[in-house]
Coordinates of all heavy atoms in Angstrom, one line a residue:
T192 N -5.0 -23.2 -19.0 CA -6.1 -23.4 -17.9 C -5.5 -23.4 -16.5 O -6.1 -23.7 -15.5 CB -6.8 -24.8 -18.1 OG1 -5.7 -25.8 -18.3 CG2 -7.7 -24.8 -19.4
N279 N -17.9 -18.1 -19.8 CA -17.6 -19.1 -18.8 C -17.1 -18.4 -17.6 O -16.4 -17.4 -17.7 CB -16.4 -20.0 -19.3 CG -16.8 -20.8 -20.5 OD1 -17.9 -20.9 -20.8 ND2 -15.7 -21.4 -21.2
L299 N -21.0 -21.9 -18.9 CA -20.3 -22.8 -18.0 C -19.9 -22.1 -16.7 O -19.1 -21.1 -16.8 CB -19.0 -23.3 -18.7 CG -18.1 -24.1 -17.8 CD1 -18.6 -25.4 -17.2 CD2 -16.8 -24.5 -18.6
R301 N -17.8 -23.1 -13.7 CA -17.0 -24.2 -13.1 C -17.0 -24.1 -11.6 O -16.3 -23.4 -11.0 CB -15.5 -24.0 -13.6 CG -15.2 -24.3 -15.1 CD -13.8 -24.2 -15.4 NE -13.4 -24.7 -16.7 CZ -13.3 -24.0 -17.8 NH1 -13.4 -22.7 -17.8 NH2 -12.9 -24.6 -18.9
E303 N -16.0 -26.1 -9.4 CA -14.9 -26.7 -8.6 C -14.0 -25.7 -7.9 O -13.4 -26.0 -6.9 CB -14.0 -27.7 -9.4 CG -13.5 -27.2 -10.7 CD -14.5 -27.4 -11.9 OE1 -15.7 -27.7 -11.6 OE2 -14.2 -27.1 -13.0
R337 N -22.2 -26.2 -13.8 CA -21.6 -27.6 -13.9 C -21.4 -28.2 -12.5 O -20.8 -27.5 -11.6 CB -20.4 -27.6 -14.7 CG -19.7 -28.9 -14.8 CD -18.6 -28.9 -15.8 NE -17.4 -28.3 -15.2 CZ -16.3 -28.2 -15.9 NH1 -16.2 -28.5 -17.1 NH2 -15.2 -27.6 -15.3
D340 N -16.4 -30.8 -10.9 CA -15.5 -31.6 -11.9 C -14.1 -31.7 -11.3 O -13.2 -31.0 -11.7 CB -15.5 -30.8 -13.2 CG -14.7 -31.5 -14.3 OD1 -14.3 -32.7 -14.1 OD2 -14.5 -30.9 -15.4
D344 N -6.5 -33.0 -13.3 CA -5.5 -32.2 -12.8 C -6.0 -31.3 -11.7 O -5.3 -30.4 -11.2 CB -4.9 -31.2 -13.9 CG -6.0 -30.4 -14.5 OD1 -7.1 -30.6 -14.3 OD2 -5.6 -29.4 -15.3
K345 N -7.2 -31.5 -11.2 CA -7.8 -30.6 -10.2 C -8.0 -31.4 -8.9 O -8.8 -32.4 -8.9 CB -9.1 -30.0 -10.6 CG -9.0 -29.2 -11.8 CD -10.5 -28.7 -12.2 CE -10.5 -28.3 -13.6 NZ -11.8 -28.5 -14.2
F359 N -6.4 -38.5 -15.8 CA -7.5 -38.0 -16.7 C -8.4 -39.1 -17.1 O -9.5 -38.8 -17.6 CB -6.9 -37.3 -17.9 CG -6.6 -35.8 -17.6 CD1 -5.3 -35.3 -17.5 CD2 -7.7 -34.9 -17.4 CE1 -5.1 -34.0 -17.2 CE2 -7.4 -33.6 -17.1 CZ -6.1 -33.1 -17.1
R363 N -12.7 -39.2 -11.7 CA -12.9 -37.8 -11.8 C -14.4 -37.4 -12.0 O -15.1 -38.3 -12.4 CB -11.9 -37.1 -12.8 CG -12.1 -37.6 -14.2 CD -11.3 -36.7 -15.2 NE -11.9 -35.3 -15.3 CZ -11.7 -34.5 -16.3 NH1 -11.0 -34.9 -17.4 NH2 -12.2 -33.3 -16.3
M434 N -22.1 -32.4 -20.6 CA -21.0 -32.0 -21.5 C -20.7 -33.1 -22.4 O -20.7 -34.3 -22.1 CB -19.8 -31.7 -20.6 CG -20.1 -30.5 -19.7 SD -18.6 -29.7 -19.1 CE -17.8 -29.2 -20.5
V435 N -20.4 -32.7 -23.6 CA -19.9 -33.7 -24.6 C -18.4 -33.6 -24.5 O -17.8 -32.7 -25.1 CB -20.4 -33.5 -26.0 CG1 -19.9 -34.5 -27.0 CG2 -21.9 -33.4 -26.1
E436 N -17.8 -34.5 -23.8 CA -16.3 -34.5 -23.6 C -15.7 -35.8 -24.0 O -14.5 -35.9 -24.0 CB -16.0 -34.2 -22.2 CG -16.4 -32.8 -21.7 CD -16.0 -32.5 -20.3 OE1 -16.7 -33.1 -19.4 OE2 -15.2 -31.6 -20.1
I456 N -20.5 -28.8 -25.6 CA -19.3 -29.5 -26.1 C -18.1 -28.9 -25.3 O -17.8 -27.8 -25.4 CB -19.1 -29.4 -27.6 CG1 -20.3 -29.8 -28.3 CG2 -17.9 -30.3 -28.0 CD1 -20.2 -29.5 -29.8
G457 N -17.4 -29.8 -24.6 CA -16.2 -29.4 -23.9 C -15.0 -29.8 -24.7 O -14.5 -31.0 -24.6
T458 N -14.6 -29.0 -25.6 CA -13.5 -29.3 -26.6 C -12.1 -29.5 -25.9 O -11.3 -30.2 -26.5 CB -13.4 -28.3 -27.7 OG1 -13.4 -27.0 -27.1 CG2 -14.4 -28.4 -28.7
N459 N -11.9 -29.0 -24.7 CA -10.7 -29.1 -24.1 C -10.4 -30.6 -23.8 O -9.4 -31.2 -24.1 CB -10.6 -28.4 -22.7 CG -10.9 -26.9 -22.9 OD1 -10.9 -26.4 -24.0 ND2 -11.2 -26.2 -21.8
D460 N -11.5 -31.2 -23.2 CA -11.3 -32.7 -23.0 C -11.7 -33.5 -24.2 O -11.0 -34.6 -24.5 CB -12.3 -33.1 -21.8 CG -11.6 -32.8 -20.5 OD1 -10.4 -33.1 -20.4 OD2 -12.3 -32.3 -19.6
L461 N -12.6 -33.1 -25.0 CA -13.0 -33.9 -26.2 C -11.8 -34.0 -27.1 O -11.5 -35.1 -27.7 CB -14.2 -33.3 -27.0 CG -14.7 -34.1 -28.1 CD1 -15.2 -35.4 -27.7 CD2 -15.8 -33.3 -28.9
R470 N -3.9 -32.9 -22.5 CA -4.1 -31.5 -22.8 C -3.1 -30.6 -22.0 O -2.9 -29.5 -22.3 CB -5.5 -31.1 -22.4 CG -5.9 -31.2 -20.9 CD -7.3 -31.0 -20.6 NE -7.6 -29.7 -20.2 CZ -8.9 -29.4 -19.7 NH1 -9.8 -30.3 -19.7 NH2 -9.1 -28.2 -19.3
C507 N -18.5 -25.0 -24.7 CA -17.9 -24.2 -23.7 C -16.4 -24.5 -23.5 O -15.7 -24.0 -22.6 CB -18.6 -24.4 -22.3 SG -18.6 -26.1 -21.7
G508 N -15.9 -25.3 -24.4 CA -14.4 -25.5 -24.4 C -13.7 -24.3 -25.1 O -14.4 -23.4 -25.7
E509 N -12.4 -24.2 -25.0 CA -11.7 -23.0 -25.5 C -11.9 -22.8 -27.0 O -11.8 -21.7 -27.4 CB -10.1 -23.2 -25.2 CG -9.7 -23.3 -23.8 CD -9.9 -21.9 -23.2 OE1 -9.5 -20.9 -23.8 OE2 -10.4 -21.8 -22.1
S603 N -5.2 -26.0 -24.4 CA -5.7 -25.7 -23.0 C -4.6 -25.2 -22.2 O -3.4 -25.3 -22.5 CB -6.4 -26.9 -22.4 OG -5.4 -27.8 -22.2
Ligands
PEP1 C1 -13.7 -28.8 -21.5 O1 -13.3 -29.9 -21.3 O2 -13.7 -28.4 -22.7 C2 -14.3 -28.0 -20.5 C3 -14.9 -26.8 -20.7 O3 -14.1 -28.3 -19.2 P1 -12.7 -28.1 -18.4 O4 -11.8 -27.3 -19.2 O5 -13.1 -27.4 -17.1 O6 -12.2 -29.5 -18.2

Side-chain angles (χ1 to χ4, degrees):
T192 50
N279 297 344
L299 169 64
R301 290 183 165 97
E303 50 277 7
R337 179 172 76 183
D340 184 7
D344 63 345
K345 299 176 200 147
F359 273 111
R363 60 170 293 205
M434 295 199 61
V435 182
E436 295 181 289
I456 311 173
T458 44
N459 305 344
D460 277 319
L461 185 62
R470 64 191 262 189
C507 59
E509 291 293 314
S603 64

